[in-house]
Amino acid sequence: MDVEKLFADNYDGLFRYLIRLTGDPDLAADVAQETFVRLIERTPENTGIRAWLYRVATNIVRDESRVRRRRFELLQSAPERVPHGDAPLQPDRALELSEKQFIVRGALSALSERDQTVLLMREGGFSHQEIAEAVGTTTKSVGSMIARALRKLSNELALKPEAIE
């Protein structure tokens, strides 16, 4: 099966169909892409590929619609459980934060890959065992590795005093 040819021959028509079905070009593009991914993963045995593509795409849209409707119903039934995002930062605070992040990223990039991994995994909430497996060491040595990496990061940041202010 020549997937590239099938894609070239069918994508535009499928995309137009999905736009009409959903009214959302972004969703239509996502569904069309997912349809071709499924074609690659599970090639149908019959020869009606075009019909199969449209059927799969339609089912994906229906499933997505059910999920959206169910989420909406859940949120309507318990509005107090709706997650709220943080208020946007003031522009000056956002700029200051962005500058500090840039400086910290620069200092972090000066560390070895292993030190970066240890610090980022620690910050991501990974356990010492998970960190040890990721960097190929023992669980007992992870604490020392973190301390050394933090000291190196601190030294890098000390070279950039504007990051600490």
Side-chain angles (χ1 to χ4, degrees):
M1 174 176 64
D2 186 358
V3 176
E4 288 181 31
K5 181 168 178 16
L6 285 170
F7 183 86
D9 292 346
N10 293 287
Y11 180 83
D12 291 337
L14 181 63
F15 178 67
R16 284 190 304 274
Y17 163 75
L18 289 166
I19 287 176
R20 289 188 301 271
L21 182 63
T22 65
D24 181 347
D26 292 332
L27 178 59
D30 289 346
V31 171
Q33 179 180 355
E34 176 64 22
T35 301
F36 280 96
V37 167
R38 290 185 185 186
L39 174 67
I40 293 168
E41 292 175 346
R42 292 171 267 164
T43 305
E45 294 183 20
N46 63 6
T47 57
I49 297 291
R50 186 166 186 260
W52 182 91
L53 289 170
Y54 281 73
R55 184 174 63 249
V56 168
T58 302
N59 288 339
I60 293 171
V61 169
R62 285 183 183 149
D63 291 346
E64 177 65 26
S65 177
R66 276 189 223 111
V67 168
R68 283 185 188 187
R69 186 176 43 242
R70 182 65 181 138
R71 283 183 186 149
F72 180 78
E73 290 168 358
L74 288 171
L75 292 174
Q76 291 299 314
S77 68
E80 71 280 358
R81 297 186 64 196
V82 174
H84 298 282
D86 295 333
L89 296 175
Q90 295 296 320
D92 58 336
R93 179 68 180 126
L95 178 62
E96 178 186 332
L97 184 60
S98 175
E99 289 171 348
K100 286 184 179 186
Q101 288 172 339
F102 179 78
I103 292 167
V104 171
R105 274 191 224 105
L108 191 60
S109 70
L111 302 180
S112 71
E113 187 177 312
R114 188 175 191 177
D115 287 342
Q116 289 178 37
T117 301
V118 166
L119 291 178
L120 292 173
M121 288 185 77
R122 174 184 176 256
E123 191 63 27
F126 288 86
S127 69
H128 281 210
Q129 180 179 351
E130 292 169 318
I131 295 170
E133 290 172 9
V135 297
T137 189
T138 64
T139 304
K140 291 181 181 183
S141 65
V142 170
S144 299
M145 290 176 68
I146 291 171
R148 280 193 300 273
L150 284 171
R151 192 170 31 257
K152 291 176 187 175
L153 182 62
S154 177
N155 290 339
E156 285 295 325
L157 289 171
L159 299 174
K160 300 165 178 52
E162 64 275 13
I164 302 170
E165 296 175 356

